[in-house]
């Protein structure tokens, strides 16, 4: 199965993100396909296609992570580009050392489970759309219009191993297991919910 580790987002945050999903035409003038609100997330680590045995090792390694809860807020919008091509438009994440710290723990857990290292710098973000050749002026206008985007801080209490399947219009994500982060002054964190099949 295709797997990734991510932070799910509270409903009120997804609601705010939804307000960003409009006003960006594609190159051929058709309507842009935005990520549906139920799919908004912050990827910590993309795992790709993983067999059942490796999924089990990854799950066990993730369940062993001990890290504290932290608060996070989304801030700004920007785009990933490759040369002239726009790869994705995303909402940014305000700098939070605890998030980088959690990412690093997830990365070493995944490598401990036997998967190859990622090797790319972690840029936390929430993908809003992967637009098809948007006119650059329109994209710039969109980014300026939403430059003051900012959510209230929200508490990150767990991270989640998701599977991803192709849907008819969008990918369908299914939470396989969530892993709790520890509350302040509480030692230990553990896995909750059912294990990976
Ligand atoms: P779709 O592929 O249908 O547009 P999606 O990209 O959201 O949807 P997946 O491709 O399964 O679905 O990706 C799941 C998550 O992992 C997304 O956050 C995606 O950005 C991220 N991801 C996918 N491929 C990679 C990759 N090669 N490297 C890093 N992150 C990736
Ligand atoms: Mg994809």
């Amino acid at each position: 199965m295709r797997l990734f580790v991510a932070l799910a987002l509270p409903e009120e945050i997804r609601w705010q993100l939804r307000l960003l999903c409009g006003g960006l035409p594609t190159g051929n003038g058709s309507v842009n396909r935005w990520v549906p609100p139920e799919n908004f997330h912050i990827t910590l680590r993309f795992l790709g296609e993983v067999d059942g045995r490796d999924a089990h090792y990854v799950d066990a390694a993730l369940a062993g992570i001990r890290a504290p809860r932290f608060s996070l807020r989304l801030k700004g919008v920007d785009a990933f580009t490759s040369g002239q091509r726009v790869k994705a438009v995303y909402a940014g994440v305000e700098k939070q050392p605890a998030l980088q710290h959690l990412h690093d723990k997830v990365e070493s857990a995944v490598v401990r489970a036997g998967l190859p290292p990622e090797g790319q710098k972690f840029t936390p973000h929430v993908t809003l759309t992967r637009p098809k050749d948007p006119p650059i002026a329109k994209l710039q206008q969109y980014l300026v219009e939403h430059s003051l985007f900012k959510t209230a801080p929200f508490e990150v209490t767990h991270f989640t191993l998701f599977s991803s399947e192709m849907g008819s219009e969008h990918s369908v994500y299914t939470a396989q297991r969530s892993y709790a982060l520890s509350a302040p002054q509480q030692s230990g964190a553990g896995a909750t919910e059912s294990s990976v099949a």
Side-chain angles (χ1 to χ4, degrees), residues 72-136:
L72 208 55
R73 94 181 348 190
L74 306 184
K75 191 171 180 251
V77 289
D78 208 344
F80 290 128
T81 53
S82 170
Q84 293 288 83
R85 296 209 44 197
V86 179
K87 305 287 257 188
V89 175
Y90 64 88
V93 178
E94 199 170 62
K95 198 170 165 59
Q96 164 55 282
L99 174 61
Q100 179 70 46
H101 182 71
L102 175 61
H103 166 271
D104 295 350
K105 289 200 164 181
V106 167
E107 177 61 26
S108 33
V110 166
V111 170
R112 230 179 306 123
L115 272 66
E118 162 71 277
Q120 286 225 7
K121 187 176 168 285
F122 176 51
T123 308
H125 64 277
V126 181
T127 298
L128 301 170
T129 184
R130 297 181 185 91
K132 293 233 179 335
D133 308 317
I136 291 304

Side-chain angles (χ1 to χ4, degrees), residues 2-6 33 35 39 41-48 80 88 118 120 125-127 130 162-167 169-173:
R2 186 178 175 95
L3 295 174
F4 64 103
V5 182
R33 229 195 302 145
V35 171
N39 277 9
H41 64 275
I42 299 171
T43 301
L44 293 172
R45 175 58 140 91
F46 178 70
L47 303 175
F80 290 128
E118 162 71 277
Q120 286 225 7
H125 64 277
V126 181
T127 298
R130 297 181 185 91
F162 285 98
S163 60
S164 170
E165 289 167 289
M166 292 243 275
E169 270 204 57
H170 300 280
S171 288
V172 177
Y173 304 150

